[in-house]
mmCIF file of all heavy atoms in Angstrom:
data_model
loop_
_atom_site.group_PDB
_atom_site.id
_atom_site.type_symbol
_atom_site.label_atom_id
_atom_site.label_comp_id
_atom_site.label_asym_id
_atom_site.label_seq_id
_atom_site.Cartn_x
_atom_site.Cartn_y
_atom_site.Cartn_z
ATOM 1 N N GLY O 141 -8.142 -1.752 0.618
ATOM 2 C CA GLY O 141 -8.910 -2.113 1.814
ATOM 3 C C GLY O 141 -9.205 -0.946 2.723
ATOM 4 O O GLY O 141 -8.716 0.171 2.542
ATOM 5 N N ASN O 142 -10.023 -1.264 3.727
ATOM 6 C CA ASN O 142 -10.458 -0.281 4.719
ATOM 7 C C ASN O 142 -9.314 0.477 5.350
ATOM 8 O O ASN O 142 -9.287 1.698 5.395
ATOM 9 C CB ASN O 142 -11.115 -1.042 5.884
ATOM 10 C CG ASN O 142 -12.600 -0.858 5.900
ATOM 11 O OD1 ASN O 142 -13.113 0.190 5.496
ATOM 12 N ND2 ASN O 142 -13.296 -1.884 6.335
ATOM 13 N N PHE O 143 -8.386 -0.312 5.869
ATOM 14 C CA PHE O 143 -7.364 0.250 6.726
ATOM 15 C C PHE O 143 -6.470 1.242 5.978
ATOM 16 O O PHE O 143 -6.283 2.388 6.411
ATOM 17 C CB PHE O 143 -6.538 -0.894 7.312
ATOM 18 C CG PHE O 143 -5.548 -0.427 8.294
ATOM 19 C CD1 PHE O 143 -5.898 -0.246 9.618
ATOM 20 C CD2 PHE O 143 -4.269 -0.102 7.897
ATOM 21 C CE1 PHE O 143 -4.982 0.243 10.523
ATOM 22 C CE2 PHE O 143 -3.349 0.375 8.788
ATOM 23 C CZ PHE O 143 -3.704 0.542 10.103
ATOM 24 N N ALA O 144 -5.948 0.829 4.822
ATOM 25 C CA ALA O 144 -5.050 1.710 4.057
ATOM 26 C C ALA O 144 -5.821 2.912 3.514
ATOM 27 O O ALA O 144 -5.316 4.040 3.512
ATOM 28 C CB ALA O 144 -4.396 0.941 2.910
ATOM 29 N N SER O 145 -7.057 2.677 3.069
ATOM 30 C CA SER O 145 -7.849 3.780 2.499
ATOM 31 C C SER O 145 -8.138 4.815 3.580
ATOM 32 O O SER O 145 -7.997 6.027 3.354
ATOM 33 C CB SER O 145 -9.156 3.237 1.907
ATOM 34 O OG SER O 145 -8.863 2.255 0.938
ATOM 35 N N GLN O 146 -8.540 4.345 4.750
ATOM 36 C CA GLN O 146 -8.847 5.282 5.838
ATOM 37 C C GLN O 146 -7.591 6.025 6.294
ATOM 38 O O GLN O 146 -7.635 7.222 6.586
ATOM 39 C CB GLN O 146 -9.481 4.539 7.014
ATOM 40 C CG GLN O 146 -10.887 4.051 6.685
ATOM 41 C CD GLN O 146 -11.483 3.178 7.776
ATOM 42 O OE1 GLN O 146 -10.787 2.716 8.671
ATOM 43 N NE2 GLN O 146 -12.786 2.948 7.694
ATOM 44 N N ALA O 147 -6.465 5.320 6.347
ATOM 45 C CA ALA O 147 -5.227 5.963 6.813
ATOM 46 C C ALA O 147 -4.762 7.028 5.820
ATOM 47 O O ALA O 147 -4.403 8.139 6.211
ATOM 48 C CB ALA O 147 -4.134 4.913 7.032
ATOM 49 N N VAL O 148 -4.800 6.722 4.522
ATOM 50 C CA VAL O 148 -4.327 7.685 3.516
ATOM 51 C C VAL O 148 -5.289 8.861 3.412
ATOM 52 O O VAL O 148 -4.873 10.022 3.322
ATOM 53 C CB VAL O 148 -4.131 6.990 2.140
ATOM 54 C CG1 VAL O 148 -3.911 8.012 1.031
ATOM 55 C CG2 VAL O 148 -2.949 6.020 2.202
ATOM 56 N N LEU O 149 -6.592 8.559 3.447
ATOM 57 C CA LEU O 149 -7.584 9.635 3.280
ATOM 58 C C LEU O 149 -7.915 10.346 4.593
ATOM 59 O O LEU O 149 -8.660 11.327 4.596
ATOM 60 C CB LEU O 149 -8.874 9.062 2.677
ATOM 61 C CG LEU O 149 -8.767 8.615 1.216
ATOM 62 C CD1 LEU O 149 -9.997 7.824 0.790
ATOM 63 C CD2 LEU O 149 -8.582 9.821 0.309
ATOM 64 N N GLU O 150 -7.379 9.829 5.701
ATOM 65 C CA GLU O 150 -7.719 10.357 7.033
ATOM 66 C C GLU O 150 -9.238 10.429 7.170
ATOM 67 O O GLU O 150 -9.816 11.475 7.494
ATOM 68 C CB GLU O 150 -7.060 11.721 7.248
ATOM 69 C CG GLU O 150 -5.543 11.609 7.207
ATOM 70 C CD GLU O 150 -4.835 12.946 7.276
ATOM 71 O OE1 GLU O 150 -4.793 13.648 6.252
ATOM 72 O OE2 GLU O 150 -4.343 13.284 8.359
ATOM 73 N N SER O 151 -9.863 9.285 6.905
ATOM 74 C CA SER O 151 -11.324 9.182 6.892
ATOM 75 C C SER O 151 -11.753 8.029 7.798
ATOM 76 O O SER O 151 -10.985 7.103 8.052
ATOM 77 C CB SER O 151 -11.777 8.887 5.454
ATOM 78 O OG SER O 151 -13.114 8.464 5.430
ATOM 79 N N LYS O 152 -13.002 8.101 8.240
ATOM 80 C CA LYS O 152 -13.532 6.991 9.033
ATOM 81 C C LYS O 152 -14.525 6.155 8.217
ATOM 82 O O LYS O 152 -15.082 5.176 8.705
ATOM 83 C CB LYS O 152 -14.219 7.522 10.294
ATOM 84 C CG LYS O 152 -13.237 8.089 11.314
ATOM 85 C CD LYS O 152 -13.901 8.185 12.677
ATOM 86 C CE LYS O 152 -13.090 8.800 13.777
ATOM 87 N NZ LYS O 152 -11.660 8.868 13.683
ATOM 88 N N GLU O 153 -14.763 6.553 6.956
ATOM 89 C CA GLU O 153 -15.695 5.814 6.104
ATOM 90 C C GLU O 153 -15.163 4.420 5.773
ATOM 91 O O GLU O 153 -13.953 4.244 5.607
ATOM 92 C CB GLU O 153 -15.907 6.558 4.772
ATOM 93 C CG GLU O 153 -16.796 7.752 4.814
ATOM 94 C CD GLU O 153 -18.237 7.469 5.192
ATOM 95 O OE1 GLU O 153 -18.632 6.306 5.372
ATOM 96 O OE2 GLU O 153 -18.969 8.459 5.323
ATOM 97 N N GLY O 154 -16.065 3.485 5.609
ATOM 98 C CA GLY O 154 -15.664 2.130 5.212
ATOM 99 C C GLY O 154 -15.382 2.056 3.717
ATOM 100 O O GLY O 154 -15.807 2.930 2.949
ATOM 101 N N ILE O 155 -14.714 0.988 3.316
ATOM 102 C CA ILE O 155 -14.278 0.862 1.918
ATOM 103 C C ILE O 155 -15.468 0.770 0.951
ATOM 104 O O ILE O 155 -15.383 1.253 -0.179
ATOM 105 C CB ILE O 155 -13.303 -0.342 1.738
ATOM 106 C CG1 ILE O 155 -12.700 -0.365 0.343
ATOM 107 C CG2 ILE O 155 -13.958 -1.674 2.048
ATOM 108 C CD1 ILE O 155 -11.864 0.833 0.004
ATOM 109 N N THR O 156 -16.586 0.215 1.383
ATOM 110 C CA THR O 156 -17.714 0.107 0.448
ATOM 111 C C THR O 156 -18.258 1.492 0.080
ATOM 112 O O THR O 156 -18.747 1.687 -1.019
ATOM 113 C CB THR O 156 -18.860 -0.765 1.021
ATOM 114 O OG1 THR O 156 -19.037 -0.443 2.379
ATOM 115 C CG2 THR O 156 -18.568 -2.240 0.897
ATOM 116 N N LYS O 157 -18.141 2.447 1.001
ATOM 117 C CA LYS O 157 -18.555 3.828 0.685
ATOM 118 C C LYS O 157 -17.458 4.561 -0.091
ATOM 119 O O LYS O 157 -17.734 5.403 -0.940
ATOM 120 C CB LYS O 157 -18.831 4.603 1.977
ATOM 121 C CG LYS O 157 -20.160 4.296 2.627
ATOM 122 C CD LYS O 157 -20.949 5.604 2.821
ATOM 123 C CE LYS O 157 -22.379 5.322 3.239
ATOM 124 N NZ LYS O 157 -22.572 5.444 4.678
ATOM 125 N N LEU O 158 -16.200 4.266 0.234
ATOM 126 C CA LEU O 158 -15.091 5.020 -0.372
ATOM 127 C C LEU O 158 -14.828 4.616 -1.816
ATOM 128 O O LEU O 158 -14.507 5.459 -2.658
ATOM 129 C CB LEU O 158 -13.805 4.831 0.458
ATOM 130 C CG LEU O 158 -13.812 5.455 1.863
ATOM 131 C CD1 LEU O 158 -12.540 5.070 2.620
ATOM 132 C CD2 LEU O 158 -13.929 6.973 1.779
ATOM 133 N N ARG O 159 -14.967 3.310 -2.100
ATOM 134 C CA ARG O 159 -14.603 2.894 -3.466
ATOM 135 C C ARG O 159 -15.647 3.417 -4.466
ATOM 136 O O ARG O 159 -16.702 3.886 -4.072
ATOM 137 C CB ARG O 159 -14.373 1.384 -3.577
ATOM 138 C CG ARG O 159 -15.545 0.487 -3.357
ATOM 139 C CD ARG O 159 -15.270 -0.910 -3.846
ATOM 140 N NE ARG O 159 -15.159 -0.947 -5.295
ATOM 141 C CZ ARG O 159 -16.194 -0.978 -6.109
ATOM 142 N NH1 ARG O 159 -17.425 -1.019 -5.637
ATOM 143 N NH2 ARG O 159 -16.010 -0.984 -7.414
ATOM 144 N N GLU O 160 -15.254 3.414 -5.712
ATOM 145 C CA GLU O 160 -16.027 4.027 -6.799
ATOM 146 C C GLU O 160 -15.859 5.546 -6.840
ATOM 147 O O GLU O 160 -16.460 6.206 -7.663
ATOM 148 C CB GLU O 160 -17.522 3.681 -6.748
ATOM 149 C CG GLU O 160 -17.795 2.242 -7.136
ATOM 150 C CD GLU O 160 -19.264 1.970 -7.316
ATOM 151 O OE1 GLU O 160 -19.984 1.944 -6.297
ATOM 152 O OE2 GLU O 160 -19.697 1.798 -8.458
ATOM 153 N N HIS O 161 -15.082 6.107 -5.905
ATOM 154 C CA HIS O 161 -14.802 7.544 -5.932
ATOM 155 C C HIS O 161 -13.297 7.758 -6.108
ATOM 156 O O HIS O 161 -12.500 6.903 -5.733
ATOM 157 C CB HIS O 161 -15.228 8.223 -4.619
ATOM 158 C CG HIS O 161 -16.689 8.077 -4.341
ATOM 159 N ND1 HIS O 161 -17.628 8.888 -4.917
ATOM 160 C CD2 HIS O 161 -17.366 7.194 -3.580
ATOM 161 C CE1 HIS O 161 -18.829 8.516 -4.506
ATOM 162 N NE2 HIS O 161 -18.698 7.485 -3.689
ATOM 163 N N VAL O 162 -12.954 8.939 -6.649
ATOM 164 C CA VAL O 162 -11.551 9.347 -6.725
ATOM 165 C C VAL O 162 -11.412 10.581 -5.848
ATOM 166 O O VAL O 162 -12.224 11.513 -5.954
ATOM 167 C CB VAL O 162 -11.156 9.668 -8.181
ATOM 168 C CG1 VAL O 162 -9.744 10.239 -8.230
ATOM 169 C CG2 VAL O 162 -11.247 8.418 -9.056
ATOM 170 N N PHE O 163 -10.437 10.583 -4.974
ATOM 171 C CA PHE O 163 -10.275 11.683 -4.017
ATOM 172 C C PHE O 163 -9.021 12.499 -4.347
ATOM 173 O O PHE O 163 -7.979 11.928 -4.677
ATOM 174 C CB PHE O 163 -10.141 11.124 -2.593
ATOM 175 C CG PHE O 163 -11.373 10.400 -2.132
ATOM 176 C CD1 PHE O 163 -11.552 9.053 -2.432
ATOM 177 C CD2 PHE O 163 -12.364 11.065 -1.423
ATOM 178 C CE1 PHE O 163 -12.698 8.375 -2.023
ATOM 179 C CE2 PHE O 163 -13.507 10.398 -1.008
ATOM 180 C CZ PHE O 163 -13.682 9.049 -1.305
ATOM 181 N N ASP O 164 -9.150 13.815 -4.250
ATOM 182 C CA ASP O 164 -7.975 14.683 -4.320
ATOM 183 C C ASP O 164 -7.393 14.786 -2.924
ATOM 184 O O ASP O 164 -8.139 15.001 -1.960
ATOM 185 C CB ASP O 164 -8.374 16.093 -4.785
ATOM 186 C CG ASP O 164 -8.740 16.109 -6.248
ATOM 187 O OD1 ASP O 164 -7.892 15.714 -7.062
ATOM 188 O OD2 ASP O 164 -9.882 16.494 -6.572
ATOM 189 N N LYS O 165 -6.081 14.666 -2.829
ATOM 190 C CA LYS O 165 -5.474 14.693 -1.503
ATOM 191 C C LYS O 165 -4.105 15.358 -1.598
ATOM 192 O O LYS O 165 -3.397 15.183 -2.599
ATOM 193 C CB LYS O 165 -5.341 13.232 -1.035
ATOM 194 C CG LYS O 165 -4.823 13.035 0.348
ATOM 195 C CD LYS O 165 -5.895 13.175 1.401
ATOM 196 C CE LYS O 165 -5.274 13.179 2.786
ATOM 197 N NZ LYS O 165 -6.038 13.887 3.788
ATOM 198 N N VAL O 166 -3.754 16.100 -0.570
ATOM 199 C CA VAL O 166 -2.395 16.630 -0.481
ATOM 200 C C VAL O 166 -1.714 15.919 0.680
ATOM 201 O O VAL O 166 -2.221 15.926 1.807
ATOM 202 C CB VAL O 166 -2.400 18.162 -0.247
ATOM 203 C CG1 VAL O 166 -0.972 18.683 -0.100
ATOM 204 C CG2 VAL O 166 -3.105 18.878 -1.390
ATOM 205 N N ILE O 167 -0.596 15.270 0.379
ATOM 206 C CA ILE O 167 0.157 14.588 1.437
ATOM 207 C C ILE O 167 1.572 15.154 1.411
ATOM 208 O O ILE O 167 2.284 15.014 0.409
ATOM 209 C CB ILE O 167 0.159 13.054 1.231
ATOM 210 C CG1 ILE O 167 -1.284 12.543 1.264
ATOM 211 C CG2 ILE O 167 1.016 12.367 2.299
ATOM 212 C CD1 ILE O 167 -1.451 11.070 0.991
ATOM 213 N N GLY O 168 1.958 15.809 2.500
ATOM 214 C CA GLY O 168 3.251 16.505 2.517
ATOM 215 C C GLY O 168 3.244 17.557 1.419
ATOM 216 O O GLY O 168 2.363 18.418 1.360
ATOM 217 N N ASN O 169 4.180 17.439 0.492
ATOM 218 C CA ASN O 169 4.297 18.424 -0.596
ATOM 219 C C ASN O 169 3.663 17.907 -1.903
ATOM 220 O O ASN O 169 3.895 18.462 -2.958
ATOM 221 C CB ASN O 169 5.787 18.724 -0.851
ATOM 222 C CG ASN O 169 6.576 17.450 -1.106
ATOM 223 O OD1 ASN O 169 6.072 16.349 -0.870
ATOM 224 N ND2 ASN O 169 7.780 17.568 -1.596
ATOM 225 N N VAL O 170 2.884 16.833 -1.823
ATOM 226 C CA VAL O 170 2.410 16.180 -3.050
ATOM 227 C C VAL O 170 0.879 16.258 -3.164
ATOM 228 O O VAL O 170 0.155 15.851 -2.254
ATOM 229 C CB VAL O 170 2.816 14.677 -3.066
ATOM 230 C CG1 VAL O 170 2.602 14.099 -4.461
ATOM 231 C CG2 VAL O 170 4.248 14.487 -2.634
ATOM 232 N N SER O 171 0.395 16.773 -4.317
ATOM 233 C CA SER O 171 -1.042 16.736 -4.624
ATOM 234 C C SER O 171 -1.281 15.518 -5.496
ATOM 235 O O SER O 171 -0.644 15.380 -6.549
ATOM 236 C CB SER O 171 -1.460 17.946 -5.439
ATOM 237 O OG SER O 171 -1.236 19.101 -4.692
ATOM 238 N N LEU O 172 -2.187 14.678 -5.083
ATOM 239 C CA LEU O 172 -2.371 13.437 -5.830
ATOM 240 C C LEU O 172 -3.822 12.984 -5.770
ATOM 241 O O LEU O 172 -4.646 13.556 -5.049
ATOM 242 C CB LEU O 172 -1.427 12.356 -5.272
ATOM 243 C CG LEU O 172 -1.347 12.192 -3.755
ATOM 244 C CD1 LEU O 172 -2.483 11.345 -3.228
ATOM 245 C CD2 LEU O 172 -0.041 11.550 -3.366
ATOM 246 N N LYS O 173 -4.117 11.948 -6.549
ATOM 247 C CA LYS O 173 -5.446 11.338 -6.551
ATOM 248 C C LYS O 173 -5.375 10.026 -5.784
ATOM 249 O O LYS O 173 -4.385 9.281 -5.911
ATOM 250 C CB LYS O 173 -5.893 11.022 -7.986
ATOM 251 C CG LYS O 173 -5.814 12.194 -8.936
ATOM 252 C CD LYS O 173 -7.042 13.046 -8.845
ATOM 253 C CE LYS O 173 -7.030 14.148 -9.886
ATOM 254 N NZ LYS O 173 -8.032 15.182 -9.631
ATOM 255 N N VAL O 174 -6.425 9.750 -5.029
ATOM 256 C CA VAL O 174 -6.488 8.485 -4.297
ATOM 257 C C VAL O 174 -7.658 7.664 -4.831
ATOM 258 O O VAL O 174 -8.786 8.158 -4.922
ATOM 259 C CB VAL O 174 -6.664 8.726 -2.779
ATOM 260 C CG1 VAL O 174 -6.749 7.393 -2.032
ATOM 261 C CG2 VAL O 174 -5.511 9.563 -2.231
ATOM 262 N N VAL O 175 -7.369 6.427 -5.206
ATOM 263 C CA VAL O 175 -8.389 5.504 -5.715
ATOM 264 C C VAL O 175 -8.484 4.329 -4.726
ATOM 265 O O VAL O 175 -7.618 3.460 -4.714
ATOM 266 C CB VAL O 175 -8.013 4.973 -7.121
ATOM 267 C CG1 VAL O 175 -9.112 4.069 -7.668
ATOM 268 C CG2 VAL O 175 -7.726 6.119 -8.071
ATOM 269 N N PRO O 176 -9.529 4.333 -3.889
ATOM 270 C CA PRO O 176 -9.642 3.232 -2.921
ATOM 271 C C PRO O 176 -10.252 1.985 -3.573
ATOM 272 O O PRO O 176 -11.181 2.089 -4.373
ATOM 273 C CB PRO O 176 -10.612 3.780 -1.857
ATOM 274 C CG PRO O 176 -10.813 5.230 -2.182
ATOM 275 C CD PRO O 176 -10.529 5.377 -3.641
ATOM 276 N N THR O 177 -9.727 0.845 -3.212
ATOM 277 C CA THR O 177 -10.328 -0.406 -3.674
ATOM 278 C C THR O 177 -10.260 -1.443 -2.543
ATOM 279 O O THR O 177 -9.762 -1.168 -1.455
ATOM 280 C CB THR O 177 -9.641 -0.924 -4.957
ATOM 281 O OG1 THR O 177 -10.412 -2.024 -5.473
ATOM 282 C CG2 THR O 177 -8.210 -1.398 -4.712
ATOM 283 N N TYR O 178 -10.790 -2.627 -2.836
ATOM 284 C CA TYR O 178 -10.762 -3.683 -1.821
ATOM 285 C C TYR O 178 -9.336 -4.170 -1.576
ATOM 286 O O TYR O 178 -8.466 -4.057 -2.442
ATOM 287 C CB TYR O 178 -11.579 -4.879 -2.294
ATOM 288 C CG TYR O 178 -13.046 -4.624 -2.450
ATOM 289 C CD1 TYR O 178 -13.714 -5.010 -3.605
ATOM 290 C CD2 TYR O 178 -13.783 -4.015 -1.445
ATOM 291 C CE1 TYR O 178 -15.076 -4.783 -3.763
ATOM 292 C CE2 TYR O 178 -15.143 -3.786 -1.595
ATOM 293 C CZ TYR O 178 -15.774 -4.167 -2.762
ATOM 294 O OH TYR O 178 -17.113 -3.936 -2.908
ATOM 295 N N HIS O 179 -9.143 -4.763 -0.416
ATOM 296 C CA HIS O 179 -7.891 -5.468 -0.173
ATOM 297 C C HIS O 179 -7.970 -6.815 -0.898
ATOM 298 O O HIS O 179 -9.012 -7.472 -0.873
ATOM 299 C CB HIS O 179 -7.717 -5.693 1.344
ATOM 300 C CG HIS O 179 -6.317 -6.095 1.683
ATOM 301 N ND1 HIS O 179 -5.831 -7.347 1.421
ATOM 302 C CD2 HIS O 179 -5.290 -5.394 2.223
ATOM 303 C CE1 HIS O 179 -4.562 -7.411 1.807
ATOM 304 N NE2 HIS O 179 -4.216 -6.224 2.292
ATOM 305 N N PRO O 180 -6.885 -7.227 -1.561
ATOM 306 C CA PRO O 180 -6.963 -8.501 -2.297
ATOM 307 C C PRO O 180 -7.285 -9.707 -1.403
ATOM 308 O O PRO O 180 -7.854 -10.690 -1.892
ATOM 309 C CB PRO O 180 -5.584 -8.639 -2.953
ATOM 310 C CG PRO O 180 -4.711 -7.635 -2.279
ATOM 311 C CD PRO O 180 -5.593 -6.548 -1.771
#
Side-chain angles (χ1 to χ4, degrees):
N142 252 329
F143 185 85
S145 303
Q146 290 174 346
V148 169
L149 290 169
E150 298 174 283
S151 166
K152 290 198 183 340
E153 283 297 356
I155 188 62
T156 42
K157 282 235 170 98
L158 292 174
R159 66 165 292 279
E160 288 190 289
H161 300 278
V162 174
F163 296 86
D164 288 302
K165 184 83 189 153
V166 178
I167 299 176
N169 54 348
V170 193
S171 298
L172 46 82
K173 307 276 185 194
V174 179
V175 183
T177 189
Y178 295 132
H179 194 286

